[in-house]
Amino acid sequence: MSTIGSEITKAGTAGTAPVRSSMWRQAARRLLKNRLAMLGLAVVVFMFAFCFIGPLFSPYTDNKIHLAQMNKPPSPQHWLGTDALGRDVLTRVMQAGRISLTVGLASMVLSVFIGSLLGAIAGYFRGICDQIIMRLADLLLTIPGLPLLFILGALLSDWKVPTEYRMYIVMLMLSLVNWPGLARMVRGEVLSLREREFMQAATVLGLRNRRKLFNHLLPNLVPLIIVIASLNVGGAILSESVLSFFGLGVMPPTPTWGNMIDSANNMIDFQKRPWLWIPPGFSIFATVIAINIFGDGLRDVLDPRPRK
Amino acid sequence: MSDLLEIDRLKVYFDTREGTVKAVDDVSLRVRRGETVCIVGESGCGKSITAMSIMGLVGSNAAAGPFVDGQIRFDGRNLLRLDRNELRTIRGREIAMIFQEPMTSLNPVLPIGEQIMEPLIEHLKLSRKAARARAIELIRKVGISRPEQIAKSYPHELSGGMLQRIMIAIAISCNPKLLIADEPTTALDVTIQAQILDMMRQFKADSNMSILLITHDLGVVAEMADYVVVMYSGKVVEEGEVVELFTNPKHPYTRGLLKSKPVINQRQDELYSIPGQVPNPLELRPSCYFHERCERCMDVCRTREPRLREVGDNGKVACWLYEEAVVHA
């Protein structure tokens, strides 16, 4: 470069170098300022700690039957009382939370993985891939999710799947029902992203499809995927509870929040023994709301495009 | 040595509901090694489509692809006949391209350094570590201070001028033989423009790279070009050495363009502009497409299309004024 040019260049850029901080650190800082999202996160963290660490401090186990202690109201020994078989409700709520949270998270991970992969492939390659994947998704979407889950759940009972494994099968079922909606959203986003100028620039650089898809497109989808994923966890926890409530999900004696409410599903328990159904119900409510609020906060923060 | 890039009778037609749009119609041009060729013309004259077809971007994109015909020979290979993988090894490696809008040509969610590293890893097979070092070196080379920090920034944190420098850094990263610049300075302010052009010239001199510069700015042409091709309505109307074309323009359109350029230190009440509008590409009849706006329009211009023919030394023009038979008839 000519000397004049280089001087101009230096003068032109010296003052404008930005103060650097990584995208994640910036995002974390903004997230910390978002009170509501932090509240959501606090509740989620609390629920996890409560469910996964809590039982270690409990003198009871979830399925120890104690007939002398049947249907006792909350007391210093049993903080949330006992159920019809004399089991400690607090311990069972915690143990149930382990199952519900695990099912929710695992089915979210699975459905987000399937959904975003298939959606991205459909949107990026278009043509025949798109047709096959999206028609399959449409097919699954035309069947209402809950009846489909009921049918699958009923089949499971029919095939006498051992109770230990039902939890894993429920995860699979929930992912099966959840991925099409997700794939659609991801595909829509990819369809718009792939026409952007920077994707054309990537083509011009001679990058491979794989690199374009995973290095260029997917990072742009992260905010969308995170929000969908977080809403999905909430949704999956709810669906699992519904299934278990109807006796089609995870079976007793393995406790989940859903089947705990189900076992209190009679007039006497409902009217006289609220300690049986309020704790699991409240757990579902608090967890799902907290997850959704936190997910929204994450979305606000994780979008690296300049804010308007 | 043969020419680096030779476009031979390139046609790009888009089928639309209203009819066929001949975006590029029978365009031939050549770029020699180490030469800067400028394509000039107003919006919609087909200059960008020409550039995009060199890169193979036309047709692969749209669902109903356009009709593309002709030859684009690059280093002896016809680019229009290459398959995807062969094309990929040329893109970015041997032909690089800079776009008009640096703000949107970089991926908003990837750090700048990462984006410079990609072609290095892809084409030169560098390790990530070597690529990173090279990327930082490239950022420094395009005159940006604190390259380590810039490498970690995201596009929205930099100014347009800096981003265009980054685009140039990416483009020259693999030492391409040809750099296609599609209005590289249009989105930038004038002082930055000069720096960017300066930089492109510098890199060209360093590496004997050829440049195909697409622009509508005659100032840029005067500063950069060795050879100029003037396009109008998808056709080449005049081409020639830059000095010859500026001092002695032949086609009335070229004259109009040069006349509509402001002259420094000379007060003008109103800048000259070529009367009329670019013809609707759907309504083109066999004629000189410029005839409706031409000051020296003759009868023959309305009915027959002039051919591009050699006039003077190393210049060509497509205009009936220079067809001896007609003028003297």
Side-chain angles (χ1 to χ4, degrees):
Chain A
M1 198 176 299
S2 68
T3 47
I4 294 173
S6 66
E7 271 165 29
I8 293 172
T9 307
K10 289 210 181 88
T13 56
T16 53
V19 183
R20 271 258 27 90
S21 58
S22 83
M23 177 180 108
W24 296 104
R25 211 176 308 150
Q26 279 182 24
R29 204 180 307 129
R30 280 202 301 272
L31 190 63
L32 284 171
K33 282 194 199 136
N34 186 339
R35 293 254 178 80
L36 203 57
M38 289 322 288
L39 182 72
L41 178 64
V43 174
V44 173
V45 168
F46 171 78
M47 287 311 291
F48 270 87
F50 173 73
C51 298
F52 285 88
I53 302 173
L56 304 179
F57 297 100
S58 162
Y60 310 102
T61 57
D62 54 341
N63 286 325
K64 177 82 169 114
I65 296 169
H66 205 288
L67 292 176
Q69 295 288 331
M70 271 165 46
N71 290 329
K72 288 278 187 289
S75 64
Q77 285 80 45
H78 298 281
W79 290 359
L80 292 176
T82 58
D83 68 3
L85 295 172
R87 296 174 295 191
D88 181 52
V89 172
L90 179 61
T91 310
R92 277 179 67 79
V93 165
M94 294 192 284
Q95 292 286 5
R98 285 187 177 187
I99 308 282
S100 293
L101 289 174
T102 312
V103 168
L105 275 181
S107 79
M108 175 277 282
V109 168
L110 199 59
S111 61
V112 161
F113 180 75
I114 301 174
S116 42
L117 188 70
L118 289 183
I121 288 175
Y124 184 74
F125 292 105
R126 315 253 300 258
I128 187 81
C129 282
D130 191 17
Q131 287 297 324
I132 293 174
I133 293 170
M134 289 331 283
R135 292 304 79 78
L136 187 65
D138 285 345
L139 190 72
L140 283 167
L141 281 171
T142 50
I143 311 168
L146 219 45
L148 186 63
L149 287 175
F150 280 9
I151 294 168
L152 290 173
L155 280 177
L156 286 187
S157 307
D158 212 38
W159 290 335
K160 307 220 169 12
V161 176
T163 359
E164 310 91 89
Y165 295 124
R166 282 201 69 136
M167 180 177 134
Y168 303 106
I169 306 223
V170 168
M171 289 176 193
L172 284 178
M173 279 160 49
L174 291 177
S175 335
L176 179 75
V177 174
N178 274 334
W179 76 262
L182 211 146
R184 260 198 177 178
M185 271 190 267
V186 169
R187 171 178 172 269
E189 188 76 5
V190 169
L191 280 181
S192 104
L193 281 173
R194 76 193 290 278
E195 302 299 333
R196 297 274 187 88
E197 219 169 304
F198 64 82
M199 287 310 290
Q200 202 172 54
T203 310
V204 161
L205 283 180
L207 301 183
R208 284 158 204 276
N209 276 333
R210 184 159 31 96
R211 192 179 273 278
K212 272 157 61 188
L213 186 55
F214 292 108
N215 288 20
H216 282 250
L217 273 181
L218 276 186
N220 278 288
L221 294 173
V222 165
L224 177 78
I225 291 179
I226 284 182
V227 177
I228 300 177
S230 61
L231 295 179
N232 216 305
V233 177
I237 291 175
L238 270 184
S239 307
E240 181 275 325
S241 305
V242 170
L243 274 184
S244 301
F245 178 78
F246 284 105
L248 296 166
V250 180
M251 290 294 193
T254 312
T256 75
W257 290 334
N259 68 27
M260 285 180 73
I261 297 179
D262 179 39
S263 59
N265 186 19
N266 55 60
M267 271 331 260
I268 293 181
D269 284 342
F270 188 71
Q271 286 186 334
K272 306 278 187 207
R273 301 175 193 128
W275 64 86
L276 290 182
W277 52 269
I278 286 182
F282 180 76
S283 301
I284 297 174
F285 169 79
T287 311
V288 172
I289 288 230
I291 287 175
N292 287 358
I293 289 175
F294 179 61
D296 271 354
L298 267 182
R299 177 189 44 200
D300 291 346
V301 144
L302 265 185
D303 198 342
R305 278 165 284 195
R307 255 139 282 276
K308 280 155 211 135
Chain B
M1 199 154 47
S2 67
D3 294 335
L4 182 64
L5 178 78
E6 216 182 325
I7 299 180
D8 192 20
R9 304 178 73 84
L10 177 72
K11 295 183 181 105
V12 182
Y13 296 173
F14 291 91
D15 272 321
T16 66
R17 210 169 294 165
E18 288 87 35
T20 305
V21 174
K22 298 179 176 179
V24 178
D25 195 8
D26 230 356
V27 166
S28 302
L29 63 89
R30 58 183 50 199
V31 181
R32 280 181 269 268
R33 280 164 219 274
E35 188 184 46
T36 302
V37 174
C38 280
I39 305 183
V40 202
E42 54 201 306
S43 313
C45 70
K47 44 191 203 302
S48 290
I49 298 283
T50 308
M52 283 165 74
S53 23
I54 299 171
M55 274 305 197
L57 292 176
V58 173
S60 59
N61 240 353
F67 167 79
V68 182
D69 191 37
Q71 280 198 342
I72 300 177
R73 272 191 302 279
F74 177 77
D75 237 359
R77 278 173 294 183
N78 185 356
L79 294 183
L80 293 178
R81 294 269 169 281
L82 294 185
D83 70 30
R84 243 190 22 224
N85 283 326
E86 290 171 311
L87 205 53
R88 209 189 57 227
T89 57
I90 289 184
R91 286 171 175 165
R93 176 79 184 85
E94 296 184 38
I95 310 180
M97 189 160 174
I98 305 174
F99 293 93
Q100 182 174 346
E101 285 278 351
M103 296 281 189
T104 55
S105 312
L106 286 162
N107 194 329
V109 299
L110 289 184
I112 299 242
E114 204 68 34
Q115 304 194 45
I116 304 180
M117 284 158 66
E118 283 194 312
L120 296 168
I121 295 170
E122 181 74 44
H123 296 300
L124 304 185
K125 312 288 179 224
L126 294 187
S127 67
R128 280 191 67 81
K129 208 173 151 206
R132 178 165 295 279
R134 178 100 175 90
I136 287 171
E137 194 184 306
L138 280 163
I139 299 176
R140 187 175 290 126
K141 206 171 161 190
V142 292
I144 297 177
S145 50
R146 302 206 277 167
E148 290 86 359
Q149 277 168 304
I150 297 295
K152 288 184 208 139
S153 352
Y154 290 85
H156 71 266
E157 296 171 315
L158 304 188
S159 68
M162 284 169 101
L163 290 180
Q164 196 61 296
R165 285 163 200 268
I166 299 292
M167 289 303 292
I168 292 177
I170 296 176
I172 63 167
S173 61
C174 298
N175 289 320
K177 293 178 186 156
L178 175 66
L179 176 67
I180 301 175
D182 190 352
E183 310 212 14
T185 55
T186 309
L188 306 175
D189 67 59
V190 186
T191 49
I192 309 289
Q193 271 188 25
Q195 295 170 21
I196 296 285
L197 294 177
D198 209 27
M199 188 177 294
M200 283 171 61
R201 244 194 331 241
Q202 170 75 25
F203 291 138
K204 187 195 135 192
D206 288 351
S207 62
N208 198 33
M209 164 176 84
S210 307
I211 298 180
L212 181 64
L213 184 66
I214 291 162
T215 181
H216 54 241
D217 185 339
L218 289 168
V220 172
V221 177
E223 204 167 328
M224 298 289 291
D226 298 319
Y227 196 80
V228 186
V229 175
V230 183
M231 284 183 74
Y232 188 79
S233 279
K235 284 190 165 292
V236 175
V237 292
E238 180 167 3
E239 57 179 84
E241 305 281 343
V242 63
V243 180
E244 173 69 12
L245 193 107
F246 269 75
T247 51
N248 189 10
K250 297 194 178 60
H251 197 285
Y253 177 61
T254 319
R255 287 185 192 176
L257 280 182
L258 287 169
K259 235 162 98 184
S260 52
K261 206 162 74 81
V263 182
I264 294 175
N265 292 334
Q266 189 180 320
R267 284 192 71 91
Q268 284 163 294
D269 287 337
E270 199 179 328
L271 207 52
Y272 174 81
S273 65
I274 305 174
Q277 295 269 313
V278 183
N280 181 345
L282 288 167
E283 288 162 5
L284 293 177
R285 311 261 166 277
S287 64
C288 171
Y289 298 155
F290 189 61
H291 77 265
E292 285 172 359
R293 307 171 69 184
C294 186
E295 288 170 340
R296 303 179 63 184
C297 179
M298 300 176 294
D299 285 342
V300 62
C301 304
R302 294 180 228 279
T303 50
R304 283 172 62 197
E305 194 181 309
R307 295 244 301 280
L308 192 67
R309 60 176 57 235
E310 287 190 28
V311 174
D313 20 307
N314 211 359
K316 289 180 185 171
V317 65
C319 179
W320 287 115
L321 287 173
Y322 299 91
E323 299 269 352
E324 317 238 324
V326 179
V327 174
H328 296 299

